[in-house]
Amino acid sequence: MRSEAAPQLGGLERFASAGKGRGLRARRRFAVGELLLSCPAYVAVLAVSERGSHCDGCFARKEGLSKCGRCKQAFYCNVECQKEDWPMHKLECASMCTFGQNWHPSETVRLTARILAKQKTHPERTQSEKLLAVKEFESHLDKLDNEKRELIQNDIAALHHFYSKHLDYPDNAALVVLFAQVNCNGFTIEDEELSHLGSAIFPDVALMNHSCCPNVIVTYKGTLAEVRAVREIEPGEEIFSSYIDLLYPTEDRNDRLRDSYFFSCDCRECTTKEKDKEKLEICKLNDPPSAETVKGMIKYARNVIEEFRRAKHYKYILCLTLTPLVELLEICELSLDKMGAVFEDSNVYMLHMMYQAMGVCLYVQDWEGALCYGQKIIRPYSKHYPSYSLNVASMWLKLGRLYMALKNRTAGVKALKRAIAIMEVAHGKDHPYISEIKKELEDH
């Protein structure tokens, strides 16, 4: 029985989910591809690497953006976007002028600064908090180990260092809670190829619990988050999204969930582990590798993946020089050679390294190399990921664009149409990304 006090939004309501705390559930049926929820960002920050190609205010991608006249580091579509963003941008504008090239707070620090400013200027609930308020966010403070607490203290120090003019700071204990809340409830905004654009807080979207068998997917239209059904949802059914990359086997997924969100998943996928055997496929040899050899190679693969995960995106850490990129590609190729003696190409650890290698090839504009890796990745991706996966859509999109660049229009059209078919469900048929891809097809 629904409590009369339960907040509602359209065909959705907040409720107490057994064993999971707060949750979101359907009050009516939703069809595949149907929009359940739209949520404007409470606060958002554009990645520094995307300045000049995307508007700092609305995240629109376009040419001819106008610079902020003061710091000359923020870019906007027009005067309206600049005025709307000014209450947030002014936190950084003077600081960027002062620090110049030494201005480098993390996106987490930038988001937290904006939350503090927003809470002061808008103490009432916003349009982003119809179902869940930012102040209600779970912090999991009691579960933080010393390393995580130290990282938060470093973020607090950076907050004080870079944001001294426009912020009134609460005490250290309150800042620890706020940073812990941001770490557990922040969202990464990505483009159609899953490239990082920035970070944001979407309170109502954060109400959804996790499942490795999600029934919805979250996509972005600028700084607006949209939640659409990826399978039919019945009245009374809980709404689940995925917090993590679903490519990996059960143990890896739950390690990631425990490390970042402090819980383990008990969904059907995690209980049955039915996809794990395919995801960890071993080479079919006359003399198959021993269980000990397989176990050792899985451990090696996990260590390599963790090293890559800790590294930031190529653009941020490699000083934009080709030498480190070449070295990174060599590491990928060596790892693939080593793992390939035990794992099939469809093994998710092989796919992970191929994806990293493909990323390097794309960055150095080695289109043939990138295409070779992409062709090996796409079929296993389609098998391992759930229906309407953004990872699969983005891979088809990359392949389509590579085929077009290499003058293979027939293959390019086929791949781009496959991407569109997934994106029309995940993003909605009217999304600007889909319009752009259809224009690419017309232009070729």
Side-chain angles (χ1 to χ4, degrees):
M1 181 69 71
R2 178 179 57 80
S3 166
E4 288 302 315
Q8 300 177 16
L9 182 62
L12 305 168
E13 68 178 352
R14 171 175 161 172
F15 80 116
S17 178
K20 300 180 185 298
R22 298 181 293 253
L24 186 66
R25 70 180 170 194
R27 298 177 61 234
R28 66 171 179 83
R29 182 182 175 279
F30 289 93
V32 173
E34 187 172 354
L35 181 68
L36 281 75
L37 171 66
S38 293
C39 181
Y42 180 81
V43 291
V45 292
L46 184 72
V48 171
S49 61
E50 299 304 318
R51 285 184 161 160
S53 60
H54 290 77
C55 173
D56 274 71
C58 71
F59 282 29
R61 177 173 59 205
K62 58 174 64 177
E63 297 179 358
L65 297 170
S66 301
K67 286 183 183 179
C68 169
R70 299 185 184 189
C71 67
K72 304 190 188 307
Q73 295 187 52
F75 293 77
Y76 297 97
C77 299
N78 48 44
V79 173
E80 288 71 26
C81 271
Q82 186 170 7
K83 284 182 178 178
E84 190 171 340
D85 191 50
W86 176 245
M88 294 292 106
H89 176 57
K90 73 179 181 182
L91 294 170
E92 299 180 346
C93 190
S95 181
M96 287 192 291
C97 291
T98 300
F99 286 95
Q101 295 299 312
N102 294 318
W103 187 86
H104 48 72
S106 68
E107 287 182 22
T108 300
V109 171
R110 295 173 64 200
L111 269 183
T112 305
R114 292 184 179 218
I115 291 172
L116 289 169
K118 184 95 170 214
Q119 288 177 337
K120 182 179 180 180
T121 58
H122 294 83
E124 70 283 357
R125 286 177 86 118
T126 66
Q127 288 296 306
S128 309
E129 303 171 283
K130 293 178 179 178
L131 297 170
L132 181 70
V134 170
K135 291 183 178 180
E136 295 181 274
F137 280 175
E138 180 60 70
S139 67
H140 296 290
L141 200 62
D142 59 323
K143 299 170 185 171
L144 298 181
D145 59 24
N146 290 336
E147 182 181 0
K148 286 184 169 60
R149 288 180 179 274
E150 184 177 346
L151 290 172
I152 286 177
Q153 290 299 333
N154 291 340
D155 281 340
I156 290 173
L159 182 74
H160 284 284
H161 182 66
F162 291 109
Y163 295 86
S164 57
K165 188 174 181 181
H166 296 286
L167 281 180
D168 294 326
Y169 299 103
D171 61 27
N172 189 77
L175 283 175
V176 170
V177 171
L178 182 55
F179 272 104
Q181 289 174 320
V182 171
N183 287 336
C184 286
N185 295 277
F187 287 79
T188 295
I189 297 180
E190 296 169 324
D191 67 12
E192 76 276 28
E193 290 193 2
L194 301 189
S195 294
H196 180 85
L197 293 184
S199 301
I201 299 294
F202 298 104
D204 286 346
V205 182
L207 181 59
M208 294 186 294
N209 286 312
H210 165 85
S211 173
C212 299
C213 309
N215 51 15
V216 299
I217 200 161
V218 182
T219 57
Y220 305 99
K221 190 180 288 182
T223 56
L224 180 75
E226 297 186 326
V227 179
R228 285 184 170 79
V230 290
R231 65 174 176 79
E232 290 188 357
I233 300 172
E234 299 299 329
E237 191 175 344
E238 182 163 3
I239 308 303
F240 289 109
S241 65
S242 174
Y243 295 0
I244 57 171
D245 189 337
L246 295 176
L247 178 66
Y248 302 94
T250 304
E251 185 178 345
D252 296 43
R253 295 196 310 273
N254 277 283
D255 283 348
R256 185 76 188 277
L257 288 169
R258 282 189 291 269
D259 182 61
S260 299
Y261 302 102
F262 309 99
F263 71 87
S264 296
C265 183
D266 60 359
C267 72
R268 184 189 72 252
E269 186 84 17
C270 290
T271 303
T272 65
K273 302 182 180 180
E274 61 186 10
K275 289 188 177 181
D276 283 3
K277 186 176 180 180
E278 281 189 337
K279 290 184 174 185
L280 296 172
E281 192 168 1
I282 307 303
C283 288
K284 297 174 178 64
L285 303 170
N286 292 330
D287 185 17
S290 67
E292 196 62 31
T293 299
V294 172
K295 185 177 178 181
M297 193 59 71
I298 289 174
K299 182 178 180 180
Y300 165 80
R302 286 173 175 163
N303 287 338
V304 171
I305 287 173
E306 186 58 31
E307 288 176 16
F308 273 87
R309 184 170 284 150
R310 288 180 179 179
K312 295 180 182 178
H313 193 274
Y314 313 124
K315 294 179 189 177
Y316 311 154
I317 64 170
L318 298 174
C319 305
L320 302 182
T321 61
L322 293 185
T323 302
L325 285 167
V326 171
E327 291 173 0
L328 186 57
L329 186 57
E330 288 176 355
I331 292 171
C332 293
E333 291 171 345
L334 288 171
S335 298
L336 286 167
D337 285 343
K338 183 172 182 176
M339 291 190 293
V342 176
F343 298 150
E344 288 285 356
D345 280 357
S346 60
N347 184 295
V348 296
Y349 299 131
M350 294 287 284
L351 294 173
H352 179 96
M353 297 312 299
M354 288 181 200
Y355 185 82
Q356 302 296 333
M358 183 181 182
V360 177
C361 291
L362 287 170
Y363 194 70
V364 300
Q365 299 186 4
D366 175 8
W367 307 137
E368 289 88 356
L371 180 62
C372 183
Y373 283 115
Q375 289 170 329
K376 292 180 180 179
I377 290 170
I378 187 59
R379 297 301 174 187
Y381 260 33
S382 301
K383 179 173 65 173
H384 295 324
Y385 276 112
S387 300
Y388 308 111
S389 165
L390 296 179
N391 300 79
V392 178
S394 72
M395 186 54 62
W396 279 122
L397 183 55
K398 288 173 182 175
L399 283 171
R401 288 171 170 167
L402 284 168
Y403 282 127
M404 291 297 194
L406 294 169
K407 309 301 182 185
N408 186 344
R409 187 179 187 280
T410 300
V413 169
K414 183 177 179 181
L416 292 177
K417 285 184 175 180
R418 284 181 176 269
I420 290 171
I422 298 172
M423 293 174 68
E424 284 185 336
V425 172
H427 292 78
K429 294 183 178 181
D430 63 344
H431 197 285
Y433 287 156
I434 295 176
S435 300
E436 290 176 10
I437 300 168
K438 287 181 176 178
K439 188 173 188 306
E440 290 177 42
L441 286 170
E442 292 172 3
D443 291 345
H444 284 86

